[in-house]
Amino acid sequence: MDLGLKDKVVIVTGAASGIGKAITEAYAAEGAKLALADINLTGLTKLQKALKGTEVYVEQVDITDAKACKKFVNNVAKKFGKIDILVNNAGTAKMGDMETFPEATFRAHAELMMYAPVRLTNLCIPHFKKNGWGSVVNTASVFGKQPGGLISYDSIKAADIMITKDYSNYCAPFNVNVNAVCPGPVDTPLWHAKGQLGDQLAGATGMAKADAIDWFAKANIPMGRYAKPEEIASAVLFLSSEPAHYITGVAINVDGGMVKSFI
């Protein structure tokens, strides 16, 4: 199937590692032109060098900063002359007791995973209107549909799903579709890096980190394993493709059968 992504200009946030890196590589394989944002400039530069033969613009961006977002989008439009696709992917998560979870952390997570996608979508809409075509894909989560014990992450991802649906209605008259992918647990640094969810889960269960990660998968995911980042990327590419353009307002689970709700 021809996805119609060749020469599309694609913005990906949180592109330097994990799901964002896999999404970037998948678009590159389809011949898209890429604009990548992350706070990890070293990771971005390394990825840019690896994507030989692909037009890639990278910028170190703190997307919680409204001025930085505006500057980035303007730079992308100036570089490529247009913007076709926005992938709001940047995110993080932290376990914690709900009674004592720091309000400052909750607010920081909301700035990163809720306000920033809204901000970037609004900045890209004028470019989509100019094109007469556009696509937005938000990385939400199955934990926006059922609780996963992460108070900030769960609630913000639930908000992201509703934001996706609201924007799908708003953008449809402009020939812009807006969808979300809802991964379950994915084999990325969010689980394996020092201090991240694997270490947090190990502390909560008293298990060794590797054992805790394996236990969680087998206890909660019917397929018994975490998703590969490339499996999430495939869903993102399809939703932003020409053949899928009539699909809008959906939040599709990519979770190995983890969620059984009708929503």
Side-chain angles (χ1 to χ4, degrees):
M1 179 186 292
D2 181 4
L3 296 178
L5 294 170
K6 182 174 174 55
D7 293 327
K8 296 288 189 187
V9 176
V10 184
I11 290 175
V12 182
T13 68
S17 63
I19 295 172
K21 180 174 180 287
I23 289 169
T24 297
E25 292 169 339
Y27 276 116
E30 293 294 325
K33 299 175 182 180
L34 294 160
L36 310 179
D38 204 297
I39 58 172
N40 178 5
L41 182 59
T42 300
L44 284 180
T45 303
K46 183 178 179 181
L47 179 57
Q48 183 181 31
K49 289 179 179 177
L51 295 174
K52 295 178 181 179
T54 300
E55 283 193 65
V56 184
Y57 172 76
V58 302
E59 187 173 327
Q60 185 179 34
V61 186
D62 177 358
I63 61 170
T64 67
D65 182 331
K67 290 182 179 179
C69 286
K70 186 175 182 179
K71 176 177 174 286
F72 172 65
V73 171
N74 287 342
N75 287 344
V76 174
K78 184 177 180 180
K79 165 73 176 177
F80 293 109
K82 64 172 185 170
I83 298 169
D84 298 299
I85 297 167
L86 169 64
V87 182
N88 287 308
N89 170 74
T92 189
K94 183 176 178 60
M95 293 181 182
D97 182 82
M98 286 194 287
E99 282 188 70
T100 59
F101 194 88
E103 182 177 328
T105 301
F106 203 139
R107 289 181 181 275
H109 288 179
E111 286 287 347
L112 175 66
M113 295 184 285
M114 186 174 70
Y115 292 113
V118 168
R119 179 181 302 126
L120 287 163
T121 300
N122 288 339
L123 288 167
C124 287
I125 285 174
H127 299 281
F128 299 153
K129 288 180 176 179
K130 183 179 178 181
N131 299 342
W133 190 97
S135 186
V136 179
V137 184
N138 297 318
T139 301
S141 173
V142 296
F143 297 123
K145 297 186 176 185
Q146 66 182 30
L150 305 172
I151 180 62
S152 65
Y153 188 83
D154 296 357
S155 55
I156 291 165
K157 291 302 183 181
D160 285 339
I161 292 170
M162 187 54 67
I163 286 166
T164 297
K165 292 180 180 293
D166 280 334
Y167 270 105
S168 71
N169 286 340
Y170 181 79
C171 291
F174 319 136
N175 196 30
V176 175
N177 71 338
V178 185
N179 294 294
V181 292
C182 295
V186 184
D187 189 12
T188 69
L190 184 61
W191 280 89
H192 296 287
K194 185 177 180 180
Q196 294 296 322
L197 291 178
D199 284 335
Q200 295 169 36
L201 185 63
T205 61
M207 298 180 182
K209 177 170 150 179
D211 292 339
I213 290 173
D214 185 58
W215 164 79
F216 186 89
K218 290 178 178 176
N220 293 284
I221 305 170
M223 284 193 172
R225 66 171 178 85
Y226 293 79
K228 301 172 185 176
E230 294 78 13
E231 291 171 317
I232 311 305
S234 294
V236 172
L237 258 65
F238 179 68
L239 289 172
S240 66
S241 71
E242 291 279 8
H245 202 65
Y246 195 64
I247 300 172
T248 195
V250 306
I252 185 169
N253 299 343
V254 189
D255 66 349
M258 191 173 183
V259 171
K260 298 298 191 295
S261 73
F262 289 106
I263 300 172

